[in-house]
Amino acid sequence: MFDFSHFLSDNYAIALAAIVLAAMVYLFLYYGLYHLRVGLYHRTKHTDDTKQGAAAATEASALPPVSVVLTAHNDAAWLRENLVYLLEQDYPDFEVVVVDYLSTDDTEFVLKLLKDYYPHLKVVPFKEDVNLFQGKKYPLSIGIKSAKNDILMLADPDCTPKNLMWLRGMVRGYDKAGTQIVLGYCGMKRSKSLLGCMQQYDALAYGAAYLGAAMMGHPYTASGRNLSYRRSFFFEQGAFIRHYDVADGSDDLFVYHNATRRNTAVCINPDACLTAEPRKHFYQWHDERRHRVATRNRHSVGGRLRESLPAWANLLFYAAAVLLVLRGTLPWIVVAVAAVLKWAWQIVCFSTLTKRFDGGHVHWAAPLYEIYFIIANTILILLPLPSNRKFKK
């Protein structure tokens, strides 16, 4: 039998055990309310019955016209591979607007060739650097201004729809009256490499965080790789004027400042999801992640605290557990059982995400990936970003 006499007389050990228990309870709730909720999310049969395909979708006459907007900068290879999937969407009335911003590769010729076959492709070329601001907000704003339809679908040149029903899938987010913003999901294609698996985990965990928050009525960010909002709403809210001085945040800060419980919908049925190729080099992925967290200092103090709670809970859980084992006042097997229970619940909840978004088997290593990202994301937040960033995706 276990001897708890020393533990009960050690106030410091009791405090550490309380921290482990509190952190464990919070993480159990977080994994359930975010990972499990997103993984098991189902809409009504009318809006989420994807098995019947186009026949089950809204009648073509009722589908609103849509404009897909992309910004490209030396993305000829991606456009050559992926743009045709956007242009071939099974949708009655849509256009694809591509802003070619200062490309020096074959982007111009790829777009000209595609334009000959697809009249609904609109190209907005920039030959001179007239961007007085940093980042892609200015070229993206020009692309939105050039769009003729009110419902906008935003993606990146490296994104690929899972099928030709992407537009129909995302438009379902506007079924509810008053919807101005629809949050979608873009994951990473499956990979057997460690770097690829880390990117898959990162995309799943990040997606679960912002989608889960939106489902709970607290939308705070989004992925610009699969995001939709109304053109009229974009200009009514002042476009990106509130944060033109920041290079990043065309997705994060716009959603943070303008998304509410009432005007934001989530659309993650299989038809509505996009995928991207994992980066082949660590520095490319590292750079993308640096830009993703670059705007968090523009969030409120309360918002930043709420967003960092999972990381703090994990940090406190592991730190307190290690200290308990080192002190020896609590049998190590008790701490081990707590850790195993936490890991088991985390893997179960994360497995629903990998199943929904075709994330392979990364859920088995979710606890290890989580520890890595707690450390890596902390470093990312502390590192300064380059000051000269005229265009950044």
Side-chain angles (χ1 to χ4, degrees):
M1 297 295 293
F2 299 126
D3 183 9
F4 293 96
S5 58
H6 295 293
F7 169 74
L8 294 176
S9 61
D10 189 337
N11 292 333
Y12 185 64
I14 292 175
L16 290 175
I19 291 174
V20 169
L21 180 61
M24 187 174 174
V25 170
Y26 172 82
L27 291 170
F28 264 64
L29 291 173
Y30 177 79
Y31 298 141
L33 292 175
Y34 287 77
H35 296 179
L36 193 65
R37 179 193 291 261
V38 174
L40 299 180
Y41 177 70
H42 291 290
R43 302 190 65 185
T44 62
K45 185 176 181 180
H46 173 69
T47 58
D48 197 43
D49 190 4
T50 58
K51 293 183 179 180
Q52 297 184 28
T58 308
E59 290 297 328
S61 60
L63 291 171
V66 169
S67 293
V68 182
V69 182
L70 299 84
T71 56
H73 176 69
N74 292 335
D75 287 313
W78 291 121
L79 293 171
R80 187 183 298 113
E81 182 176 346
N82 298 325
L83 189 56
V84 67
Y85 292 103
L86 300 180
L87 294 165
E88 289 281 359
Q89 285 291 298
D90 180 11
Y91 201 83
D93 186 2
F94 76 103
E95 64 173 354
V96 177
V97 180
V98 179
V99 181
D100 178 13
Y101 197 78
L102 306 177
S103 295
T104 55
D105 63 354
D106 292 335
T107 296
E108 177 183 359
F109 304 104
V110 171
L111 292 174
K112 282 184 176 179
L113 178 62
L114 290 171
K115 177 69 176 174
D116 292 337
Y117 290 94
Y118 299 98
H120 56 294
L121 171 62
K122 180 186 294 185
V123 179
V124 183
F126 277 86
K127 300 296 184 181
E128 298 181 6
D129 189 357
V130 295
N131 187 358
L132 301 178
F133 308 94
Q134 295 183 354
K136 76 170 188 178
K137 293 174 185 173
Y138 176 73
L140 179 57
S141 297
I142 297 301
I144 292 173
K145 187 175 181 180
S146 302
K148 67 178 183 179
N149 300 315
D150 190 47
I151 292 182
L152 306 172
M153 301 289 175
L154 307 185
D156 280 346
D158 63 337
C159 297
T160 308
K162 289 193 173 183
N163 54 49
L164 301 183
M165 303 292 289
W166 172 58
L167 291 181
R168 289 178 181 262
M170 283 294 287
V171 157
R172 294 173 190 171
Y174 291 96
D175 287 348
K176 181 181 177 182
T179 299
Q180 304 288 349
I181 301 173
V182 177
L183 309 182
Y185 174 79
C186 181
M188 290 291 165
K189 294 181 180 179
R190 295 173 66 168
S191 171
K192 295 182 179 179
S193 69
L194 176 60
L195 180 59
C197 290
M198 291 172 67
Q199 293 178 66
Q200 285 176 259
Y201 172 87
D202 186 38
L204 288 165
Y206 179 62
Y210 74 78
L211 292 169
M215 290 176 186
M216 297 175 66
H218 303 287
Y220 71 94
T221 190
S223 170
R225 281 178 162 165
N226 195 3
L227 175 63
S228 177
Y229 45 76
R230 294 185 184 273
R231 183 176 182 270
S232 55
F233 178 77
F234 175 76
F235 289 112
E236 286 170 3
Q237 302 305 313
F240 301 129
I241 292 176
R242 294 179 65 177
H243 43 88
Y244 250 138
D245 59 319
V246 185
D248 304 282
S250 59
D251 47 8
D252 172 49
L253 291 180
F254 181 80
V255 171
Y256 182 77
H257 289 307
N258 300 301
T260 67
R261 177 195 300 265
R262 296 181 180 276
N263 71 8
T264 304
V266 168
C267 202
I268 55 173
N269 61 72
D271 288 341
C273 296
L274 299 176
T275 58
E277 286 284 349
R279 298 298 177 251
K280 296 182 180 180
H281 302 286
F282 179 83
Y283 74 88
Q284 296 174 319
W285 177 50
H286 175 78
D287 187 55
E288 289 183 356
R289 292 178 54 246
R290 289 177 70 190
H291 288 278
R292 194 174 73 194
V293 303
T295 55
R296 293 307 164 87
N297 63 342
R298 291 298 186 100
H299 292 196
S300 67
V301 175
R304 280 179 286 175
L305 178 61
R306 184 171 59 250
E307 295 157 23
S308 63
L309 274 178
W312 279 109
N314 270 290
L315 183 62
L316 290 172
F317 176 84
Y318 288 115
V322 169
L323 288 174
L324 276 174
V325 172
L326 292 178
R327 287 184 67 84
T329 53
L330 185 68
W332 67 267
I333 190 83
V334 176
V335 180
V337 168
V340 169
L341 288 174
K342 185 259 188 191
W343 294 336
W345 178 241
Q346 180 180 5
I347 290 171
V348 168
C349 293
F350 209 86
S351 68
T352 63
L353 292 175
T354 57
K355 183 176 180 181
R356 169 175 281 276
F357 298 119
D358 192 23
H361 303 287
V362 297
H363 55 277
W364 292 113
L368 297 177
Y369 290 136
E370 182 182 60
I371 295 172
Y372 167 80
F373 281 106
I374 290 173
I375 300 171
N377 289 341
T378 302
I379 296 173
L380 284 178
I381 293 173
L382 297 177
L383 287 176
L385 285 162
S387 57
N388 183 20
R389 293 174 294 148
K390 295 299 290 181
F391 184 94
K392 192 66 193 175
K393 298 175 187 177

